[in-house]
Amino acid sequence: MTAIPGEFTPPTRLLLGPGPSEVHPRVLRAMAAPLLGHLDPAFIAMMEDVKALLRFVFATENPLTFPVSGTGSAGMETCIVNLVEPGDEVVVGVNGVFGTRMADVIERAGGTAVRVEAPWGRVVRAEQIEAALRNCRRPKLVALVHAETSTGAWQPLPDAAKLAHAHGALFLTDCVTSLGGAPVEIDGWEVDVAYSGTQKCLSCPPGLSPVTFGPRAQDVLRTRKSKVQSWYLDVTLLSQYWGEARVYHHTAPISMNYALREALRLVAEEGLEARFTRHRRNHEALAAGLAALGLGLASEEGHRLPMLNAVMVPDGVDEARVRGRLLTEHGIEIGGGLGPMKGKVWRIGLMGESSRRAHVLAALAALEDALRAEGRRVAPGAGLSAAQAVYSA
Ligand SMILES: *Cc1c(COP(=O)(O)O)cnc(C)c1O
């Protein structure tokens, strides 16, 4: 090496994309605490706090609730590889990137993915799920993405869970983006298995994936015919470390667990209902501001997520140039579209700490500037006053 690079100093950014979201200073401080051994009694006591706090946000009594070491996709793989054995039929909703990814993981695990499709931005209907279940011989699992981050669609879950059970299948949901920002009722909705991620509405850096396995899912784990093909993600092995036995499996990411504990404490201090209301209100203000700027949402009316807004790019406006201008001129990160929505939408995330009135107003002011730079006529302050009207209503 000719020269040692200087210390890395990240530029100042406001994270309003599809994740990671803004992180509270208390969470950053928690990560800077000295390390403990992963079998130290003090660390083990901390793990118990993390599990209890996770049960609280998931609204579940499931003892088998813990964070998998890895990002949200690791949680997805964990749930699927532990429950799906070669030849198993899995009915999976596919209406965006993450449903598509689930179907891929199901097939890699040797399962048969029975895809129930809906156009991107729309939700999967219960009738479609029922029809798919009727066509299966012995469906093992129904899998749906609760909050489809690629499109902003908010998938209803309780009816689908009932249908799954009526056909003898388990119900799995991806609540990576919804957990901590909108109601997720694992026990109330009879969800058997779910996974989430830390860097969306929990406002913690990426690196852990909370999962929860209910009693029916645990029965399936116990009665598997084949070994789980992933050693790292084998829940039965992991539960010997996260459960009573405390058997070494892999070295827990110590600092990430400190961070998650602190992030979950912040969620508990705010209270779930207050947190959901905050997310809804900031979404309503943003949507009103966007409408005043002439911008519409791409997701289906009545099924729009509060924490992720897919905004349609108007004709004649360069999607990437606007995003670039927001980043370089305003220090604001928003996301672009994926798959069929590439170049057609912006994705504005208001997740966890990112969901604040000041951030909504900053985003609207920056968008107004960027739209004007693209040659669009916008009345000065139109977006801001529409948003303010929502807040003062
Ligand atoms: C972000 C996300 C994931 C994947 O999480 P990573 O942390 O990127 O691995 C899975 N599902 C949904 C709905 C997501 O938003």
Side-chain angles (χ1 to χ4, degrees):
M1 194 183 299
T2 47
I4 301 172
E7 187 178 348
F8 180 65
T9 315
T12 305
R13 297 280 192 248
L14 176 57
L15 299 176
L16 300 182
S21 56
E22 290 287 304
V23 171
H24 194 284
R26 266 171 53 187
V27 174
L28 296 176
R29 272 204 301 278
M31 291 185 81
L35 293 195
L36 288 170
H38 63 103
L39 293 170
D40 188 308
F43 186 71
I44 286 173
M46 206 228 51
M47 292 163 70
E48 289 304 294
D49 293 340
V50 171
K51 283 159 59 182
L53 287 160
L54 283 177
R55 283 194 285 268
F56 162 72
V57 290
F58 272 127
T60 184
E61 302 284 322
N62 291 339
L64 192 48
T65 302
F66 66 97
V68 169
S69 305
T71 65
S73 306
M76 183 190 291
E77 294 236 37
T78 300
C79 293
I80 292 171
V81 299
N82 280 277
L83 296 177
V84 177
E85 292 192 70
D88 284 347
E89 292 169 308
V90 182
V91 172
V92 54
V94 176
N95 55 347
V97 165
F98 296 103
T100 305
R101 186 175 298 177
M102 278 216 270
D104 186 4
V105 176
I106 289 159
E107 284 171 347
R108 285 164 189 258
T112 304
V114 180
R115 290 174 174 75
V116 176
E117 303 199 24
W120 284 43
R122 302 187 71 83
V123 298
V124 173
R125 308 287 146 179
E127 307 83 72
Q128 291 177 273
I129 294 164
E130 184 160 34
L133 282 165
R134 281 226 193 84
N135 283 331
C136 289
R137 273 173 303 114
R138 274 186 73 209
K140 180 78 167 281
L141 190 65
V142 173
L144 290 179
V145 177
H146 190 207
E148 189 37 274
T149 320
S150 61
T151 68
W154 191 354
Q155 176 69 47
L157 301 180
D159 288 348
K162 283 196 190 77
L163 285 169
H165 295 147
H167 286 82
L170 294 183
F171 185 68
L172 159 68
T173 188
D174 170 324
C175 49
V176 175
T177 283
S178 50
L179 193 70
V184 172
E185 303 273 345
I186 296 300
D187 291 358
W189 299 343
E190 299 187 10
V191 175
D192 299 299
V193 209
Y195 60 90
S196 188
T198 47
Q199 82 273 29
K200 313 261 166 110
C201 289
L202 297 179
S203 270
C204 186
L208 291 175
S209 175
V211 297
T212 185
F213 283 69
R216 277 182 293 252
Q218 282 199 271
D219 287 343
V220 169
L221 296 181
R222 273 192 288 270
T223 54
R224 280 183 66 100
K225 290 191 267 323
S226 57
K227 250 187 179 179
V228 175
Q229 127 272 334
S230 167
W231 176 85
Y232 195 72
L233 302 176
D234 185 328
V235 166
T236 307
L237 299 178
L238 289 169
S239 67
Q240 289 166 25
Y241 174 58
W242 281 91
E244 298 288 296
R246 308 294 174 184
V247 179
Y248 164 68
H249 179 258
H250 67 275
T251 312
I254 306 295
S255 314
M256 282 310 307
N257 278 283
Y258 294 170
L260 179 57
R261 181 179 180 280
E262 196 58 26
L264 292 169
R265 263 163 42 78
L266 285 159
V267 175
E269 284 172 18
E270 181 174 11
L272 290 174
E273 279 310 319
R275 201 172 170 91
F276 303 153
T277 305
R278 170 164 67 83
H279 279 81
R280 201 173 52 238
R281 209 164 161 69
N282 287 322
H283 159 74
E284 284 164 5
L286 179 74
L290 291 169
L293 294 175
L295 302 172
L297 295 175
S299 49
E300 182 178 349
E301 179 104 56
H303 294 284
R304 289 178 175 158
L305 289 171
M307 71 290 287
L308 193 285
N309 304 274
V311 183
M312 284 183 289
V313 178
D315 286 340
V317 169
D318 187 318
E319 182 276 314
R321 202 160 54 206
V322 167
R323 221 164 5 100
R325 189 175 174 94
L326 257 56
L327 193 69
T328 54
E329 304 280 314
H330 300 272
I332 297 178
E333 176 183 278
I334 64 167
L338 300 173
M341 288 187 163
K342 189 171 156 53
K344 296 187 181 143
V345 300
W346 296 299
R347 288 182 301 149
I348 303 180
L350 297 175
M351 303 179 177
E353 290 299 315
S354 296
S355 176
R356 299 280 171 206
R357 183 208 286 231
H359 301 161
V360 169
L361 299 179
L364 289 169
L367 269 174
E368 179 180 320
D369 166 60
L371 288 174
R372 205 168 286 125
E374 288 289 307
R376 306 272 303 180
R377 270 218 191 83
V378 270
L384 292 175
S385 24
Q388 293 283 24
V390 171
Y391 287 121
S392 44

